[in-house]
Amino acid sequence: MSQDRIKDQKHDGQPDVSRRKFLNTAAFAGLAGASMTVGLSACKQEEKAAPAAAPASAPAAASEAGKYEVAPGQLDTYYSFSSGGHSGNVRIYGLPSGRELKCIPVFNTDCLVGWGITNESKAIIGTKPDGSLKYQTGDTHHVHPSYTDGTYDGKYLFVNDKINSRLARVRLDTMECDKITELPNVQGFHGTFPDKRDPVDASINHTTRVFCGAEFSIPLPNNGHNIEKTAEYRSLFSCVDSETMQVRWQVLIDGNCDLVATSYDGKLAATNQYNTEMGVHYPEMMSVERDACLFFNVARIEEAVKAGKVTYIGDSKVPVVDGRKAANADPKTALTCYVPIPKNPHGVNISPDGKYYACSGKLSPTATVIEHELVLKWFEGEIKEPRDTVVAEPEIGLGPLHTGFDNKGNAYTTLFLDSQIVKWNVEAAIKAYKGDKNVTVVLDRIDVHYQPGHGFTSMGETKEADGKFFISDNKFSKDRFLPVGPLHPETAQMIDISGDKMKLVADHSVLSEPHDSIVVRRDIIKTRQVYNMDEFPNAVKDPKDSGVFRDGKKVTVKLTGQAPAYSMPEFTVKKGDEVTIILTNHDKVEDLTHGFAIPKHDINFIVNPQETKSVTFKADKPGIYWCYCTHFCHALHLEMRSRMIVEL
């Protein structure tokens, strides 16, 4: 170890305070350097908040670490579903072990399962007229399951694609994506959240709406006209039906959307806004001292849509209502409410009791607490100013981002610049805001490594928050793991929050770049282990139905697989044929999956027990090609082959 490295550490392995100060200063300078006004404001905030950033709780002693381990053969208590960032996928981890269980391909291609290769997956992702994928990239940010009565129902998981403005739905019984919808007239689809309230139809045990925020303002329609009229750029807030996955309506707004939260009574959806200036360039986005948390009155919006008070943008058939400030000045008829929030907030979360929204100012050392009932009263005209819905604004540290909650009235917020998690009490913050100087708002702090982004508590986005664990997804992991080149892994650190003091009990490397995660009790998730063959219209139900079926130059090859053989040891096609292979797995044994790969044809996919999948390709190379099983299935796995003969 170099002398410089030794100087950067204390004997207990924790980072030296001077080193953390350097990290914070450098990060803050990068954020605040756009304008002198912001820089001076940041310096004042840092000076004011510095005394409160002092001692943080230490990690758990090594002797305690064992109680958080999951022994070989034992199951985890929780599932953690995590966005994969610009990998375009969703990852599943077990907690508290931190074991990675599965990657679910969503917006990316995946040669393990054939996602983006099989006809079925290409139909979900979307294709061009020539059959190629419309998009081959994705950027997943936020993952949230469907709800019934304020808690997860185990049916769906929803995840966004920021790059191409798509919403995907994952079935939680199979952990596979089954639908993808592209939002019209939207760029930078960042935040998403399902409705938490009871469904309107009690016979339907899933949520009926998913709300989606657009981060980037653009000309509407974005057709090459009015490019220089930047003051007219706008964003849209969208509502998607969770069952049909069709866009139900959109709201035209001032500013942009960042993250999204929903109320437990189904009355409000919310998004924080960090660019209310509607700036196009970076310095223009930093001029105001307050941005906003924007609330949507769901019932009024849907009434307006039903009454036909809508417009349409471009060639989209989605109804759009006007949620801009000028059109919503009268609270009694307003569709939207813009609550001023300092400064460049990033993240809005609602407490498990449904009473309060926490919205943190990224460039302010504060978290703003907004009372749900007061927002409703503003919409009824009982409160004059939107800012009057704010009931607390405690100073908690530098760079506050995301907030999770326990079951004791406490909030846990990530501090990006301080590289800490801060624990604070919501009711104490409200009392302090009213002038009570005898309450303690900030209860504890703990260092994380380094620069935490999203943070979340176990079951914390439901009314069943259990107050056991907080997971901090950190953006930097320098010095934490074995070096693997310039692209470092990132860290997910698990903190025990069950006591008065937070304890860091485990950390795990995670592949770049998780944004958001959610922790779900394992008893909520009910997975299937074997498919039903009747679900697949093209299933080859009897091996006797196997064969080669020609229609001109289009050829269909029907196959079954049952360990350790395919139903046809060989099949023949001709050069230039468009070949579709349909493969059904006839094994009924749990965990007995077969693969199918064709050398030199870029074909590889898997079929699970009783499942059917298909691929279509051009047989343009004459010769012999050994199709083989890629997924270990049997003692004679290597012998599981079929010979494709391509004749001239």
Side-chain angles (χ1 to χ4, degrees), residues 563-581:
Y566 298 114
S567 55
M568 291 196 298
E570 63 185 41
F571 58 92
T572 301
V573 298
K574 296 183 181 296
K575 179 185 177 182
D577 283 346
E578 180 185 281
V579 180
T580 296
I581 292 179

Side-chain angles (χ1 to χ4, degrees), residues 57-72:
S57 298
S63 59
E64 293 184 353
K67 72 179 185 179
Y68 302 101
E69 293 179 356
V70 179

Side-chain angles (χ1 to χ4, degrees), residues 23-342:
L23 286 167
N24 292 353
T25 304
F28 206 93
L31 284 172
S35 70
M36 182 63 71
T37 300
V38 174
L40 290 173
S41 175
C43 290
K44 291 177 182 178
Q45 291 168 357
E46 182 175 14
E47 181 180 340
K48 189 174 183 179
S57 298
S63 59
E64 293 184 353
K67 72 179 185 179
Y68 302 101
E69 293 179 356
V70 179
Q74 299 300 306
L75 300 180
D76 280 287
T77 307
Y78 302 95
Y79 288 91
S80 178
F81 297 94
S82 178
S83 64
H86 40 272
S87 69
N89 62 22
V90 171
R91 289 102 183 242
I92 307 174
Y93 300 90
L95 291 179
S97 73
R99 297 180 293 210
E100 186 174 6
L101 305 177
K102 185 176 183 178
C103 278
I104 304 173
V106 181
F107 303 112
N108 58 308
T109 57
D110 188 307
C111 61
L112 170 67
V113 300
W115 190 255
I117 304 297
T118 64
N119 294 326
E120 293 77 12
S121 62
K122 291 170 82 172
I124 293 170
I125 298 172
T127 58
K128 300 176 183 177
D130 64 0
S132 62
L133 291 177
K134 184 178 181 181
Y135 303 112
Q136 297 191 58
T137 59
D139 185 14
T140 57
H141 275 241
H142 298 101
V143 290
H144 292 289
S146 55
Y147 286 79
T148 295
D149 191 25
T151 196
Y152 305 133
D153 59 21
K155 185 165 185 177
Y156 295 134
L157 183 80
F158 300 96
V159 62
N160 73 309
D161 168 23
K162 182 173 177 177
I163 298 177
N164 299 309
S165 302
R166 293 176 291 175
L167 178 72
R169 188 179 74 187
V170 173
R171 285 179 51 172
L172 287 177
D173 63 340
T174 61
M175 306 288 188
E176 295 175 337
C177 176
D178 75 337
K179 283 185 180 293
I180 293 176
T181 295
E182 185 172 351
L183 307 180
N185 296 304
V186 164
Q187 283 188 25
F189 165 29
H190 188 195
T192 188
F193 215 108
D195 197 340
K196 292 191 180 79
R197 61 104 168 93
D198 287 327
V200 173
D201 184 347
S203 67
I204 301 175
N205 66 341
H206 58 80
T207 189
T208 56
R209 303 180 184 93
V210 184
F211 298 102
C212 310
E215 188 177 350
F216 304 147
S217 295
I218 56 175
L220 293 174
N222 190 24
N223 55 10
H225 298 284
N226 301 319
I227 293 174
E228 298 304 322
K229 295 182 179 180
T230 58
E232 298 179 10
Y233 287 13
R234 289 295 182 274
S235 295
L236 293 169
F237 186 81
S238 306
C239 174
V240 176
D241 185 286
S242 68
E243 190 62 28
T244 65
M245 289 291 285
Q246 297 300 307
V247 184
R248 291 168 61 163
W249 44 259
Q250 294 180 306
V251 183
L252 184 70
I253 64 170
D254 292 322
N256 64 352
C257 304
D258 188 19
L259 302 193
V260 175
T262 59
S263 63
Y264 282 87
D265 58 10
K267 294 180 179 180
L268 299 176
T271 180
N272 65 290
Q273 298 183 291
Y274 69 83
N275 181 26
T276 54
E277 302 94 332
M278 297 174 66
V280 175
H281 303 110
Y282 173 58
E284 300 165 0
M285 302 178 188
M286 310 291 288
S287 61
V288 301
E289 287 300 321
R290 283 181 177 167
D291 287 287
C293 186
L294 171 57
F295 290 89
F296 300 86
N297 189 312
V298 177
R300 287 187 186 176
I301 291 170
E302 298 201 332
E303 288 169 4
V305 172
K306 187 176 181 180
K309 299 176 181 179
V310 301
T311 58
Y312 297 90
I313 297 174
D315 58 2
S316 169
K317 304 302 182 184
V318 176
V320 178
V321 298
D322 193 343
R324 293 174 294 179
K325 287 183 182 180
N328 292 269
D330 183 357
K332 292 186 178 181
T333 59
L335 307 180
T336 56
C337 174
Y338 294 76
V339 178
I341 299 293

Side-chain angles (χ1 to χ4, degrees), residues 533 540-543 559-562 584-589 594 608-611:
M533 195 181 294
V540 185
K541 293 187 175 182
D542 190 323
L559 284 167
T560 65
Q562 191 164 16
T584 300
N585 183 345
H586 273 236
D587 281 299
K588 299 180 180 179
V589 180
H594 294 303
N608 293 296
Q610 298 289 289
E611 186 182 25

